[in-house]
Amino acid sequence: TQRFYQGQQTDTATQRPLKTHNVRQGTNFLERSLPGCPEELAALTLAFFRSVLRAPEVKMVLITPLIFLGIFGSMQFSRNPGPLSSSAQGWMVTGVVGISLLGMMQLMSNLFGFDRDGFRALVLLPVRRQHILIAKNLSFLPLTMGSGFLFLVILCLVLHVPPAHFFAGLFQLGAAFLLASIVGNFVSILAPYRIAPGSLKPTKTTSKTTLLIFLLHLLFPVAML
């Protein structure tokens, strides 16, 4: 091919035997299907999920709920208040659900800030815009539900929370994720901003945009309440 484009093509090219390679049969990760999702929505969700798993910023964000849980958990146990009432245990479950969503809100409220040059592909992609938003939300679903489930298990083992409170916490976690997705989609459309690669620092934001981002992030606690 190089000789052809340099005008050096000759007819004396030797015939080389073709090598056969064993092709491993299987389905590519991005070619998998998701139950109840159209093909384009499933492909977008899996692509976003793969991107999330590879981004170092996401790993930094996932550590935040663990830090919050350690700080508030140590404060609670340092007081040594004795056994908690059933009502207090229920509020502890709700608090753990809120903490698990609090760490993910920086990602969910800026859905396109980590795409970098890949955002051009989303602009030119011939798919429905709501499918892009839904795929973004679904890509965060395993991480959010996984971390929330882990926190609820730790809480139940440490404080001996009844099983009814645990299952109620799972329902609260699902409802909180839906609310966080609605708020996150709204903020991501109204005040998007670029994130510097390898960090969580916004770039190229004006003072007006920074103030708007701060005010919109206050919607998260309101939605959780």
Side-chain angles (χ1 to χ4, degrees), residues 119-187:
F119 182 73
R120 300 176 182 176
L122 297 180
V123 174
L124 301 175
L125 206 61
V127 298
R128 301 172 66 181
R129 295 310 186 210
Q130 54 264 40
H131 282 180
I132 297 179
L133 285 176
I134 296 174
K136 283 285 188 179
N137 298 148
L138 291 178
S139 65
F140 290 116
L141 179 62
L143 299 177
T144 304
M145 299 300 290
S147 61
F149 179 80
L150 177 62
F151 292 164
L152 287 175
V153 170
I154 295 175
L155 181 67
C156 291
L157 293 178
V158 174
L159 297 181
H160 305 288
V161 175
H165 286 60
F166 174 76
F167 289 108
L170 293 180
F171 282 104
Q172 290 182 9
L173 183 61
F177 175 77
L178 294 178
L179 290 173
S181 298
I182 295 173
V183 176
N185 293 345
F186 175 71
V187 176

Side-chain angles (χ1 to χ4, degrees), residues 5 18 28 36 65 71 87 91 93-94 129 141 161-163 175 191-192 200 207 217:
Y5 283 106
L18 297 177
N28 188 278
I71 294 175
S87 177
W91 283 109
V93 170
T94 305
R129 295 310 186 210
L141 179 62
V161 175
L200 295 175
S207 57
H217 280 192

Side-chain angles (χ1 to χ4, degrees), residues 12-210:
T12 59
T14 58
Q15 295 284 341
R16 294 185 179 181
L18 297 177
K19 295 182 180 180
T20 59
H21 300 278
N22 295 327
V23 180
R24 184 176 59 182
Q25 299 294 331
T27 304
N28 188 278
F29 178 76
L30 301 182
E31 296 176 353
R32 299 178 183 272
S33 59
L34 298 178
C37 295
E39 184 178 358
E40 58 182 13
L41 178 57
L44 282 172
T45 301
L46 296 175
F48 291 149
F49 182 67
R50 176 64 62 83
S51 176
V52 165
L53 292 181
R54 292 179 175 178
E57 301 90 350
V58 177
K59 299 180 178 62
M60 298 168 60
V61 171
L62 291 177
I63 299 177
T64 305
L66 294 175
I67 298 176
F68 284 149
L69 187 63
I71 294 175
F72 293 116
S74 60
M75 293 172 57
Q76 177 66 28
F77 289 114
S78 62
R79 298 175 183 176
N80 192 17
L84 298 176
S85 62
S86 178
S87 177
Q89 289 179 349
W91 283 109
M92 291 288 290
V93 170
T94 305
V96 167
V97 171
I99 290 177
S100 64
L101 266 296
L102 181 62
M104 294 295 299
M105 202 57 200
Q106 187 171 0
L107 297 175
M108 299 180 66
S109 62
N110 189 28
L111 296 176
F112 307 100
F114 299 89
D115 290 336
R116 294 188 266 277
D117 292 338
F119 182 73
R120 300 176 182 176
L122 297 180
V123 174
L124 301 175
L125 206 61
V127 298
R128 301 172 66 181
R129 295 310 186 210
Q130 54 264 40
H131 282 180
I132 297 179
L133 285 176
I134 296 174
K136 283 285 188 179
N137 298 148
L138 291 178
S139 65
F140 290 116
L141 179 62
L143 299 177
T144 304
M145 299 300 290
S147 61
F149 179 80
L150 177 62
F151 292 164
L152 287 175
V153 170
I154 295 175
L155 181 67
C156 291
L157 293 178
V158 174
L159 297 181
H160 305 288
V161 175
H165 286 60
F166 174 76
F167 289 108
L170 293 180
F171 282 104
Q172 290 182 9
L173 183 61
F177 175 77
L178 294 178
L179 290 173
S181 298
I182 295 173
V183 176
N185 293 345
F186 175 71
V187 176
S188 299
I189 295 172
L190 192 60
Y193 56 94
R194 184 186 295 269
I195 296 296
S199 68
L200 295 175
K201 181 180 179 181
T203 60
K204 299 180 180 179
T205 57
T206 61
S207 57
K208 180 180 179 180
T209 303
T210 303

Side-chain angles (χ1 to χ4, degrees), residues 1-14:
T1 303
Q2 184 178 1
R3 290 197 305 270
F4 173 79
Y5 283 106
Q6 291 179 351
Q8 301 175 1
Q9 185 181 13
T10 60
D11 296 333
T12 59
T14 58

